[in-house]
Amino acid sequence: MSEFRHRHPKAARFHANCAAKRQVLTENAETQSKTALILGGGAPNSALMAGAVAAFQDRGIDFDVISTSGAGGLVGLLWKAPKDATPAEALRNWVDVYVSDSIYSVFPVDYKVFFKPGAMADAWRAWLNAFPGVRAIADEHGDTPLVRLWSDLCELTWASLSPSSLNSMDVGLCARVPWADQLVDFSKVKDINSYFYLNAYNVSSEVMDNFTKDEITLDHFKAAFAFPFIYGPYKFNGDYFYEGASHDCLNFENLLERHPGIETVVVFDVLGLDSLIRVPRDLYDSWVLSMIIPLVKVAEDNLELFALKANGGWRRSEGAKTDLLVMPFDVPEEQLPYVLDWSLSNGQKLFDVGYDSALKFLEADGSVLQPRETVTPMRRRGTKG
């Protein structure tokens, strides 16, 4: 069977495309970059990454190269190209997309991230957003549980009243990230002070595409978030794309070919955790796990393959090309059954865990990461839902 796969015409095309791309990248390699950050996929527990990046931001830590996949791309862009907010504010405000616990306990869906699809639903959202009061309510997260609950109830009402054209011929359940251009200023992406990559799997050419900061637009972002069944493949520039994290949870793709001078790679991996494989609490939780559990093994394999095949190990002192540092996220055991929930309490806890884990990492292993500027640390304001 293995021999058949390697001889199959599609496999031959894939390997030929990859070899051609590696050749081009090697010929145009950049050698000055020394540090790289890998922001992996993982949407429900993305607050872990947001918290960790916020800690780096507060300590003035930056990277020469930032390579992202899936939700890691969003976290990276909130950091580097936020819209109408500072990087620190944008990262901390990501927790506000999580839903008040009193609502989530009876309706466990994040209706503030996943919207109904279709032209009628798009028109409904555009009509609502034309009213200043609607946007003000949606942005009002308050300092008390009651204010937060009121805001989230209003958004639940608007989401419930939205029309939908969903039918059996559609390829995805949800509208394609209609919130993206409200959070990310895509006009700023080209001015990011690091090399920045966002991956997506090109179904048409059968190769992983790595979009650079000079080309990333809202369309590229939609292509990079086209998760199967949730959004379905996205057609862009004549090609169909799936989310890169569905094939490569950690965007190591051609990293060392593009930047052979890299000495330190820091990895934020919130999917490659065996603790995510557990007994589901209910049918909805089982559906969520059906999407996440296969990615756990993918993320583990991505990391090990890069370490052993591309990098030649884990530490330069032992002969590896780079020091490969995987940041541990110290999620309390009692929180593990809930890390994939979109509840506000989970989002807040994960953000704080990510923040504190990053500070411990910097204290233990971050001596090679020198601050580029002095930043006054600012923890996220606390709200309880």
Side-chain angles (χ1 to χ4, degrees), residues 8-63:
H8 194 276
K10 290 188 70 174
R13 281 199 304 273
F14 172 79
H15 290 298
N17 289 340
C18 289
K21 186 169 76 170
R22 280 196 299 270
Q23 180 65 28
V24 171
L25 295 176
T26 301
E27 292 173 354
N28 295 277
E30 179 274 329
T31 60
Q32 300 304 307
S33 297
K34 301 302 180 185
T35 61
L37 175 65
I38 306 293
L39 296 176
N45 49 359
S46 55
L48 277 172
M49 283 188 287
V53 172
F56 279 13
Q57 166 69 19
D58 285 350
R59 294 300 184 268
I61 303 297
D62 210 340
F63 294 83

Side-chain angles (χ1 to χ4, degrees), residues 284-356:
Y284 179 79
D285 191 40
S286 183
W287 176 64
V288 172
L289 287 173
S290 72
M291 293 181 284
I292 296 298
I293 287 177
L295 298 181
V296 172
K297 183 60 177 175
V298 172
E300 289 177 348
D301 288 347
N302 290 162
L303 182 57
E304 291 180 5
L305 281 173
F306 177 79
L308 301 179
K309 186 175 180 180
N311 197 46
W314 296 86
R315 295 291 185 270
R316 285 191 297 157
S317 60
E318 300 169 356
K321 294 179 182 178
T322 73
D323 287 320
L324 185 57
L325 308 178
V326 181
M327 198 186 79
F329 289 99
D330 303 321
V331 181
E333 186 173 353
E334 65 272 13
Q335 189 63 22
L336 290 175
Y338 309 102
V339 294
L340 299 178
D341 287 1
W342 285 98
S343 65
L344 178 62
S345 61
N346 181 55
Q348 291 174 333
K349 290 174 183 175
L350 293 184
F351 185 95
D352 289 340
V353 166
Y355 193 101
D356 292 336

Side-chain angles (χ1 to χ4, degrees), residues 234-313:
Y234 184 63
K235 189 174 184 180
F236 173 52
N237 283 344
D239 291 339
Y240 285 95
F241 292 88
Y242 271 128
E243 177 176 318
S246 64
H247 290 71
D248 185 359
C249 296
L250 300 169
N251 190 11
F252 289 117
E253 184 81 7
N254 301 124
L255 178 65
L256 299 185
E257 288 92 341
R258 291 175 185 268
H259 306 282
I262 288 177
E263 298 176 352
T264 303
V265 178
V266 177
V267 182
F268 286 6
D269 176 18
V270 298
L271 281 180
L273 306 172
D274 287 334
S275 57
L276 293 179
I277 302 177
R278 55 176 174 75
V279 176
R281 301 193 304 273
D282 49 40
L283 187 61
Y284 179 79
D285 191 40
S286 183
W287 176 64
V288 172
L289 287 173
S290 72
M291 293 181 284
I292 296 298
I293 287 177
L295 298 181
V296 172
K297 183 60 177 175
V298 172
E300 289 177 348
D301 288 347
N302 290 162
L303 182 57
E304 291 180 5
L305 281 173
F306 177 79
L308 301 179
K309 186 175 180 180
N311 197 46

Side-chain angles (χ1 to χ4, degrees), residues 114 171-175 225 227-232 287 291:
F114 304 105
V171 295
L173 285 178
C174 302
F225 267 68
F227 196 85
F229 189 60
I230 300 297
Y231 301 117
W287 176 64
M291 293 181 284

Side-chain angles (χ1 to χ4, degrees), residues 51-308:
V53 172
F56 279 13
Q57 166 69 19
D58 285 350
R59 294 300 184 268
I61 303 297
D62 210 340
F63 294 83
D64 299 317
V65 180
I66 301 173
S67 187
T68 71
S69 184
L74 172 63
V75 173
L77 291 172
L78 289 176
W79 182 22
K80 292 297 182 177
K83 187 170 185 178
D84 300 329
T86 66
E89 291 169 342
L91 289 165
R92 288 159 175 79
N93 291 343
W94 175 241
V95 177
D96 291 330
V97 304
Y98 288 73
V99 177
S100 293
D101 286 36
S102 51
I103 298 175
Y104 195 84
S105 63
V106 294
F107 186 65
V109 176
D110 193 344
Y111 50 87
K112 292 156 48 169
V113 172
F114 304 105
F115 292 87
K116 295 178 183 178
M120 291 187 297
D122 290 342
W124 168 260
R125 287 188 291 271
W127 180 75
L128 278 175
N129 288 330
F131 294 94
V134 169
R135 192 69 262 155
I137 292 173
D139 292 338
E140 175 54 69
H141 301 292
D143 294 321
T144 68
L146 186 60
V147 173
R148 174 62 187 244
L149 176 60
W150 175 74
S151 174
D152 285 3
L153 280 173
C154 288
E155 292 193 69
L156 174 59
T157 301
W158 299 330
S160 300
L161 292 176
S162 171
S164 173
S165 60
L166 184 67
N167 61 75
S168 61
M169 300 304 295
D170 288 330
V171 295
L173 285 178
C174 302
R176 296 185 186 278
V177 293
W179 39 263
D181 58 353
Q182 298 174 8
L183 300 178
V184 176
D185 188 340
F186 288 96
S187 68
K188 293 181 180 178
V189 176
K190 64 181 182 299
D191 298 321
I192 290 175
N193 63 345
S194 308
Y195 288 92
F196 191 98
Y197 302 103
L198 174 63
N199 72 354
Y201 182 73
N202 191 319
V203 180
S204 301
S205 63
E206 300 173 357
V207 70
M208 190 72 72
D209 281 356
N210 243 325
F211 306 131
T212 70
K213 66 179 182 180
D214 295 320
E215 61 185 336
I216 292 173
T217 65
L218 179 58
D219 279 313
H220 295 87
F221 188 86
K222 290 180 178 180
F225 267 68
F227 196 85
F229 189 60
I230 300 297
Y231 301 117
Y234 184 63
K235 189 174 184 180
F236 173 52
N237 283 344
D239 291 339
Y240 285 95
F241 292 88
Y242 271 128
E243 177 176 318
S246 64
H247 290 71
D248 185 359
C249 296
L250 300 169
N251 190 11
F252 289 117
E253 184 81 7
N254 301 124
L255 178 65
L256 299 185
E257 288 92 341
R258 291 175 185 268
H259 306 282
I262 288 177
E263 298 176 352
T264 303
V265 178
V266 177
V267 182
F268 286 6
D269 176 18
V270 298
L271 281 180
L273 306 172
D274 287 334
S275 57
L276 293 179
I277 302 177
R278 55 176 174 75
V279 176
R281 301 193 304 273
D282 49 40
L283 187 61
Y284 179 79
D285 191 40
S286 183
W287 176 64
V288 172
L289 287 173
S290 72
M291 293 181 284
I292 296 298
I293 287 177
L295 298 181
V296 172
K297 183 60 177 175
V298 172
E300 289 177 348
D301 288 347
N302 290 162
L303 182 57
E304 291 180 5
L305 281 173
F306 177 79
L308 301 179

